[in-house]
Amino acid sequence: MTGHPASLHHVVDGGPPQGRVVLVHGFTQTLAAWGVVGERLARRGEVVRVDLPGHGGSGGVRVGFGEAAGLVGEAGGAGTYVGYSLGGRLCLRLALDRPDLVEGLVLVGASPGIADPVARAERWAADEVLAGQVEREGVAVFLDRWLAGPLFAGLPEAAAGRAERLANSPEGLAYALRRLGTGVQEPLWDRLAGLRPPALLVAGERDAKFSAIAGQMAAAIGPSARVAVVPGAGHAVQLERPAELAALIEAFVS
């Protein structure tokens, strides 16, 4: 890891023959969020699950967005990258920066960032408020509010993975909001036409916002991108419909 301040905690399951899939979680989660999807994929090949900076076993890592994407690539190596929400934004950045590592890209409920500077500044301010809240109130109170938001309206409590989210620290989550959020991220819309690996853009049927974004991204990327809308799912497809998502990833990889 010469030249880097840190490396990311990750877990490897399964093995050849069907190649490697790297699973990258969303904000407030840890690599445990991929439990069901990872188990199924590990029957066919190697699965690497990564803890993002500020989260889980990488809770002490503090880097900017571009460097965080690079650390995901160092942990994952060459393979198909599957990223959810924050993890999807980082995997997209990695695929644009390091197409030698990303053989295929599956984005779940993810965006290339916020193109409009005014909307981006508003998001930055909102994320700063959230960062202050988690620092003052702690993770448990913050999670109550976060999981009660409209993005997770259809997410059953049993599937939300609250226990593993509680393993995160207020400092780690505040850092992620301030350094990895869409309010500070350089938007990637203008680079999408140059995306080299094939892409599968997944959104839940009930997640109107990210279903629309998936369509816009596919149009910007071109014929190498395909959209898959998962019936009955909201934003957190891998928690609400893990078997359906695993099947989509298996078909894409093969």
Side-chain angles (χ1 to χ4, degrees):
M1 298 295 171
T2 313
H4 280 295
S7 58
L8 298 184
H9 174 250
H10 57 282
V11 172
V12 182
D13 298 300
Q18 298 254 349
R20 180 185 297 149
V21 176
V22 184
L23 302 176
V24 189
H25 64 78
F27 176 62
T28 79
Q29 296 181 329
T30 71
L31 56 76
W34 292 106
V36 177
V37 174
E39 281 170 28
R40 175 159 166 177
L41 295 174
R43 294 177 206 154
R44 299 173 56 110
E46 187 173 64
V47 174
V48 182
R49 292 177 296 146
V50 180
D51 273 335
L52 287 176
H55 296 76
S58 307
V61 179
R62 302 282 184 271
V63 292
F65 190 84
E67 189 163 23
L71 290 177
V72 169
E74 284 187 15
T80 297
Y81 278 72
V82 180
Y84 162 68
S85 202
L86 163 60
R89 290 188 287 112
L90 287 164
C91 287
L92 175 60
R93 174 66 184 264
L94 178 67
L96 290 164
D97 290 351
R98 294 290 308 274
D100 55 312
L101 288 180
V102 183
E103 296 161 0
L105 182 65
V106 181
L107 302 181
V108 183
S111 86
I114 301 172
D116 177 55
V118 176
R120 199 159 65 245
E122 289 171 354
R123 179 59 182 263
W124 175 86
D127 282 348
E128 183 56 42
V129 170
L130 289 175
Q133 286 175 347
V134 72
E135 286 173 328
R136 283 193 309 275
E137 300 167 351
V139 175
V141 173
F142 180 80
L143 280 177
D144 287 341
R145 190 185 295 112
W146 181 254
L147 292 171
L151 277 182
F152 307 109
L155 178 61
E157 197 172 330
R162 185 182 167 86
E164 97 233 1
R165 295 180 198 248
L166 283 169
N168 292 314
S169 70
E171 299 78 17
L173 295 183
Y175 144 76
L177 284 161
R178 291 182 174 126
R179 302 281 303 278
L180 306 179
T182 47
V184 292
Q185 181 199 331
E186 175 194 343
L188 302 170
W189 287 99
D190 289 347
R191 296 178 63 186
L192 291 179
L195 185 70
R196 280 170 42 193
L200 177 66
L201 312 173
V202 181
E205 178 187 34
R206 291 185 289 100
D207 187 0
K209 175 184 174 181
F210 283 90
S211 293
I213 289 172
Q216 292 160 3
M217 288 177 68
I221 293 167
S224 64
R226 186 167 71 79
V227 174
V229 176
V230 179
H235 185 61
V237 177
Q238 86 285 13
L239 300 179
E240 295 176 47
R241 294 289 185 272
E244 288 90 332
L245 179 60
L248 282 171
I249 296 167
E250 284 174 340
F252 178 76
V253 170
S254 60

